Amino acid sequence: MSTLSIVIPALNEAENLPHVFATIPLDALTEAGWGVEVVIADNGSTDGTGEIAASFGARVVHQPLRGYGNAYKAGIAAARGEVIATGDADCTYPFDDLLRLLRILDDQQVEFLNTNRLGRENRDAMKPSHTLANHALSLVSRKLFKSEMRDSQSGMWVFRRYIWDTLKVTSDGMGFSQEIKNAAVREGFRCIEVPIEYRPRGGEVKLNAFSDGMANVTQLFRHRLRDNALRTATRAQWYDRSTRPAPQPLLRALPKEPAATADRASQGLAGTGHQLA
């Protein structure tokens, strides 16, 4: 049995947590051979978020130092799974799609899987100004880090736990999301990106579009300068990710998907520019 940690940062999300937990397919994951834990990184909530999470069986990690990145660093450090899956506690990410994403991670021998929310089918779930800002930040990321990921700001990723110990991710705030992706690419890990459904947010919006956006731009250039200074022989060796040794299979046998789901998975890989040899 392989083990999965679902790490979710949360700040005053008591209203949304019951819906979030309802979308996590625990029975299907267990049937597929996964041992699952849910880790809620409570980032100083005052509305009982931690207590509600615990009532659903989650392990709650308290991180009083505010910041999206601070919450994630505490949650990932506490995670026990061989694979870590992430997503926000605001009802926007499809945790019910985890089985498909895990199958892609395993079948495609991927080490870091990013998700893309910016397809036209999701245009009603995000303000047009936020969509434009996400595209702009993703474009800068692609140019600076020679990445092919179309959504550098997505908060849903699935990755093998061992890569975390190699990545030098320092961001305390919203820049954490783009930094972990860019670090995975630059360290030569086998990365892929697949589209997902993105859903309207529940509850209060906490993102400050202008200040968070400017902080993310600053972080991108600082990371690029640091990346140049920290370039290693190992990274140069595996810059061609198609020659990197394939990771070990996670599960020997998974139940067959319904045809429609399988078709969706194969379509999701098409045209992303992240096919692996």
Side-chain angles (χ1 to χ4, degrees):
M1 175 180 287
S2 289
T3 52
L4 170 69
S5 294
I6 302 171
V7 178
I8 303 173
L11 172 60
N12 293 331
E13 297 288 3
E15 175 186 355
N16 289 324
L17 281 182
H19 176 77
V20 170
F21 278 96
T23 64
I24 298 175
L26 292 175
D27 290 343
L29 289 166
T30 301
E31 183 180 347
W34 289 96
V36 183
E37 68 166 358
V38 179
V39 178
I40 298 294
D42 186 353
N43 201 200
S45 299
T46 58
D47 67 346
T49 287
E51 291 80 0
I52 291 175
S55 74
F56 281 96
R59 189 154 56 90
V60 180
V61 176
H62 294 280
Q63 170 53 286
L65 188 60
R66 291 285 178 90
Y68 189 73
N70 286 330
Y72 259 126
K73 283 183 275 190
I76 294 172
R80 302 165 179 158
E82 300 165 72
V83 173
I84 293 174
T86 71
D88 295 347
D90 59 5
C91 304
T92 54
Y93 288 98
F95 290 102
D96 44 7
D97 204 17
L98 273 176
L99 198 58
R100 177 181 75 100
L101 300 179
L102 288 165
R103 183 173 283 104
I104 294 171
L105 187 84
D106 200 16
D107 290 350
Q108 298 290 320
Q109 299 178 318
V110 176
E111 291 170 296
F112 187 96
L113 182 150
N114 185 43
T115 64
N116 184 353
R117 312 157 297 155
L118 301 180
R120 289 183 58 81
E121 64 276 9
N122 294 325
R123 60 185 177 274
D124 294 333
M126 190 183 298
K127 291 181 180 179
S129 59
H130 288 183
T131 300
L132 180 61
N134 274 275
H135 278 296
L137 286 168
S138 298
L139 176 61
V140 175
S141 279
R142 290 197 298 276
K143 296 300 183 183
L144 288 179
F145 294 93
K146 295 181 171 59
S147 168
E148 297 178 1
M149 292 186 185
R150 313 299 296 182
D151 187 358
S152 67
Q153 306 303 307
S154 174
M156 191 174 205
W157 339 298
V158 184
F159 61 95
R160 298 174 191 253
R161 177 66 173 77
Y162 64 78
I163 79 169
W164 174 249
D165 298 326
T166 303
L167 303 180
K168 300 175 179 65
V169 184
T170 62
S171 296
D172 297 333
M174 296 302 295
F176 182 93
S177 182
Q178 63 190 14
E179 186 178 2
I180 192 172
K181 300 176 185 70
N182 292 329
V185 168
R186 295 297 283 177
E187 288 296 337
F189 290 112
R190 297 166 66 92
C191 302
I192 201 169
E193 183 178 64
V194 298
I196 56 166
E197 178 187 4
Y198 190 66
R199 299 164 181 172
R201 195 203 196 286
E204 176 189 357
V205 176
K206 301 181 180 69
L207 178 71
N208 186 315
F210 180 78
S211 61
D212 288 332
M214 293 304 297
N216 280 7
V217 171
T218 301
Q219 188 281 323
L220 282 172
F221 285 96
R222 285 179 175 170
H223 185 187
R224 189 65 178 88
L225 291 173
R226 189 177 81 245
D227 178 83
N228 287 343
L230 296 177
R231 179 168 293 280
T232 65
T234 301
R235 179 185 296 160
Q237 179 182 1
W238 302 123
Y239 190 75
D240 178 1
R241 291 182 290 281
S242 67
T243 65
R244 181 178 171 81
Q248 293 297 311
L250 293 166
L251 297 173
R252 295 294 179 182
L254 286 171
K256 288 187 176 295
E257 290 180 288
T261 307
D263 289 345
R264 182 184 172 197
S266 62
Q267 292 168 5
L269 295 174
T272 62
H274 287 266
Q275 302 295 334
L276 299 174

